[in-house]
Amino acid sequence: MSVNVNETNPIVPPPGPCAMVIFGATGDLTKRLLMPAVYNLAAAGLLPEKFAVVGVAIESMSAEQFAEKLKADVKETAGREIDDGVWSRAFDGRLFYTSGDFGDAATFQQLGALLEQIERDLGTAGNRLFYLATPPSLFAPIIGQIAGAGLTSEDDSSSSWRRVIIEKPFGHDLDSARELNRDITSKLRERQIYRIDHYLGKETVQNILVFRFANGIFEPIWNRRYIDHVQITVAETVGVEHRGAYYDHAGAVRDMVPNHLLQILSLVAMESPGSFEADAVRDEKAKLLKAIRPLDERDVLSAAVRGQYDAGQVAGQPVTAYRQSPNVAADSNIETFAAFKVAIDNWRWADVPFYVRTGKALPQRVSEVAIQFKRAPFMPFRETAVEHMQPNSLIIRIQPDEGISLSFEAKRPGIAVQTETVKMDFNYADYFRQTPFIGYETLLYDCMNGDQTLFQRADFVEAGWRAITPILDVWSNLPARKFPNYSAGSWGPKEADELLAKDGRHWRNPSG
Ligand code: BG6
């Protein structure tokens, strides 16, 4: 894990030479996230000095047209001013393109020849980063082709490396994830495989580790003796938009849980690693996921809730019902909201429920972890106005307004003893005065440096799918009868509130 990748104070050096090959170079991910992140690295002085980008896609275009398209795309999507000088220094004469069918071996021979020429002309030293920004059905075939064409072989005697970044979703259930793992590990070594989860590139997600393990005061209370329960919320205001063809097969659980939400859960709940070495951290994360208590059918019925949004309003704007969205079946049973209760079977977390929820078309875009502490064990304020005090809570805000806040009770000034819940607030933007990166920057930088800490290992991915498979199975066998069951712009179906109410708790809805 590279620390302090930041623009104003770059205390890390740029990586060594390499060529980055993007499969799906004309797609949305390249336009919205990948290339803006590559530009941000350039602006921060964190791209290799000897660097090239090779786009591969089906459309025919020249390298010049590709370069123009990338620049126009980044100008449109980067969310910041693009400095022409930075762009020219980083990319002039370094953006290449080759078109072809991913099923045709000739495409990869052509790519191999182009890479050799780039290595000769630009000195990228044979180091190659292959980025699979394609639909998931192409992951295994493309890896088969690049391996078959000899593009990924790492010669033990040479120092050049070949690494492959694989986007999500990694499989659509446990069996398909296992099969994909088997397939790609027969062609690549695990050290060459970088399964990406962009949540791990987010500053605040990485900060969970630093917050817990670089401070002495939190870890002693980070357990069942002091913590009542934990809530993890990843709420989005956007609906399905133009992604119906994908989403109407995936749904909220597949789309968000085995990756983003379980990443957050594992960082919040894992034991301290012996070091920040990639495998030390990844061992602990995988161990935590394996400690999630498996749900049986009855548990799914009582501890998991699904929802689908109906028409409504988000931030004053009308939103059409999910079932009326493009490429979504008019009688779709796919969930756009999911909430469930997770039990972790170990000494630290016995009897501490983790409530997890995610959904689209909710009232607020917010990702946060709320650690709810137990009440003070004794109230010396009986029969006064402060008999009912709020328990303390620690909120880790992942986005937006990245920060951490601790709420506690304070005495209101005055003669009567009256309390009020107040907050100690740490806000990234106020303190560090810089906008956090998109997230992909750190991950690309780490991959170029061969650091796998923030990437998912095969066992983590499989443990994640294993944890949610009972939910997927029960839900596919028992189609939802009451969909749609929440209005766009609300906090999900009422059953989600009942899930916590049964335990005498309630969701912390950030706006309410
Ligand atoms: C993606 C999901 O992985 O994450 C999307 O496929 C979701 O459906 C997105 O909108 C959320 O990412 P972020 O960074 O906007 O929270």
Side-chain angles (χ1 to χ4, degrees), residues 56-310:
V56 193
I58 189 88
E59 293 91 332
S60 336
M61 73 175 101
S62 66
E64 291 69 33
Q65 286 167 324
F66 179 59
E68 272 168 34
K69 171 178 163 41
L70 285 187
K71 189 168 180 184
D73 286 349
V74 173
K75 282 196 166 165
E76 179 192 330
T77 57
R80 61 182 283 184
E81 199 67 15
I82 299 304
D83 182 321
D84 286 329
V86 169
W87 183 276
S88 296
R89 275 192 301 282
F91 303 124
D92 282 358
R94 294 175 186 279
L95 302 178
F96 300 84
Y97 184 79
T98 176
S99 65
D101 184 335
F102 294 153
D104 182 357
T107 306
F108 298 86
Q109 276 149 16
Q110 212 172 291
L111 172 64
L114 178 58
L115 280 169
E116 280 171 23
Q117 182 208 318
I118 291 170
E119 280 152 14
R120 276 194 307 273
D121 296 351
L122 297 179
T124 51
N127 297 326
R128 300 170 183 171
L129 188 171
F130 296 96
Y131 200 114
L132 306 190
T134 64
S137 56
L138 295 175
F139 296 162
I142 293 177
I143 290 176
Q145 293 279 10
I146 51 180
L151 306 183
T152 53
S153 337
E154 284 185 341
D155 176 354
D156 283 336
S157 63
S158 106
S159 55
S160 61
W161 50 259
R162 286 32 205 300
R163 298 176 189 141
V164 181
I165 299 187
I166 305 172
E167 262 297 331
K168 70 167 272 271
F170 194 92
H172 54 88
D173 57 15
L174 179 57
D175 288 343
S176 56
R178 277 193 181 135
E179 192 184 322
L180 185 54
N181 271 331
R182 261 197 309 274
D183 199 325
I184 64 179
T185 51
S186 70
K187 302 190 175 91
L188 300 168
R189 299 177 198 180
E190 184 64 35
R191 68 159 201 239
Q192 296 179 281
I193 304 173
Y194 288 69
R195 298 173 193 81
I196 205 164
D197 179 334
H198 77 278
Y199 263 60
L200 285 175
K202 293 184 191 283
E203 285 294 345
T204 350
V205 173
Q206 293 172 49
N207 193 44
I208 296 173
L209 279 184
V210 174
F211 180 78
R212 289 189 55 198
F213 302 125
N215 294 298
I217 61 171
F218 301 110
E219 206 47 26
I221 55 168
W222 210 259
N223 57 50
R224 65 189 306 275
R225 288 186 64 192
Y226 299 98
I227 293 179
D228 177 73
H229 73 278
V230 177
Q231 297 182 15
I232 300 177
T233 297
V234 176
E236 298 186 274
T237 47
V238 288
V240 62
E241 310 201 309
H242 59 280
R243 297 169 74 218
Y246 152 74
Y247 198 86
D248 207 37
H249 293 285
V253 171
R254 283 193 170 89
D255 187 44
M256 298 295 285
V257 179
N259 34 66
H260 310 329
L261 276 102
L262 292 187
Q263 287 295 349
I264 299 173
L265 174 78
S266 65
L267 293 170
V268 170
M270 69 190 246
E271 295 302 313
S272 161
S275 73
F276 273 157
E277 287 297 309
D279 275 334
V281 175
R282 301 197 300 173
D283 285 347
E284 290 304 336
K285 285 173 61 187
K287 203 165 91 192
L288 189 279
L289 286 200
K290 289 173 195 162
I292 291 180
R293 185 179 310 157
L295 301 175
D296 62 23
E297 191 172 318
R298 276 208 357 243
D299 298 328
V300 173
L301 296 175
S302 65
V305 169
R306 56 185 150 166
Q308 187 193 75
Y309 65 86
D310 203 348

Side-chain angles (χ1 to χ4, degrees), residues 22-36 66 70 73-74 77 133:
I22 306 176
F23 293 101
T26 53
D28 207 43
L29 181 75
T30 307
K31 168 176 173 172
R32 282 188 311 109
L33 295 163
L34 266 186
M35 279 314 290
F66 179 59
L70 285 187
D73 286 349
V74 173
T77 57

